[in-house]
Amino acid sequence: QVQLVESGGGLVRTGGSLRLSCAASGRPFSYYTMGWFRQAPGKEREFVARISWNGGMTYYADSVKGRFTISKDNAKNTVYLQMNSLKPEDTAVYYCAAPGTAGVVVGVVPKDYEYWGQGTQVTVSS
């Protein structure tokens, strides 16, 4: 059974930092591209960042580029999202996600991903 479990969310002031973690189980996710998405109240789920199976390639939404860093520890089956210089508009529930197949190149839309975590709330106060 595939399971993705996010942690590390919380309340932080503008300009602060948080590190989200996503622990994966049930598959050898070391061979999978992994992604982070977020969803604010009343808005659609949007892409945040993506990392290739070996961590060699990363891709970010323009809104977080230069502030967020995605990384992957395959030995721990864990993906991280380091978030710096947080802004109120970063407030959302953050989800990690994985495609249904290992080794494939996936895009930046939710339908490209099959497995999802339960989400972790990030709130940035002004």
Side-chain angles (χ1 to χ4, degrees):
Q1 182 179 356
V2 173
Q3 192 171 21
L4 303 177
V5 179
E6 301 96 336
S7 61
L11 173 64
V12 65
R13 290 188 174 183
T14 296
S17 299
L18 283 173
R19 189 175 84 151
L20 305 184
S21 300
C22 172
S25 61
R27 288 278 182 95
F29 281 98
S30 55
Y31 299 110
Y32 285 71
T33 294
M34 299 291 291
W36 283 97
F37 288 76
R38 66 187 181 186
Q39 188 166 18
K43 295 188 176 182
E44 294 186 351
R45 192 167 297 188
E46 66 173 2
F47 169 79
V48 175
R50 180 188 69 199
I51 188 166
S52 61
W53 69 274
N54 63 353
M57 293 179 62
T58 57
Y59 184 72
Y60 298 91
D62 288 342
S63 58
V64 307
K65 202 173 296 182
R67 300 188 297 122
F68 290 11
T69 302
I70 188 171
S71 62
K72 198 168 183 266
D73 186 337
N74 284 337
K76 296 182 178 180
N77 248 9
T78 301
V79 180
Y80 304 97
L81 186 68
Q82 177 67 44
M83 306 186 295
N84 299 328
S85 302
L86 282 162
K87 306 174 182 180
E89 50 263 44
D90 295 318
T91 295
V93 177
Y94 283 71
Y95 300 90
C96 70
T101 304
V104 298
V105 177
V106 291
V108 299
V109 294
K111 69 177 180 64
D112 289 338
Y113 296 78
E114 180 170 340
Y115 302 109
W116 294 84
Q118 83 289 349
T120 185
Q121 177 70 48
V122 172
T123 303
V124 185
S125 63
S126 56

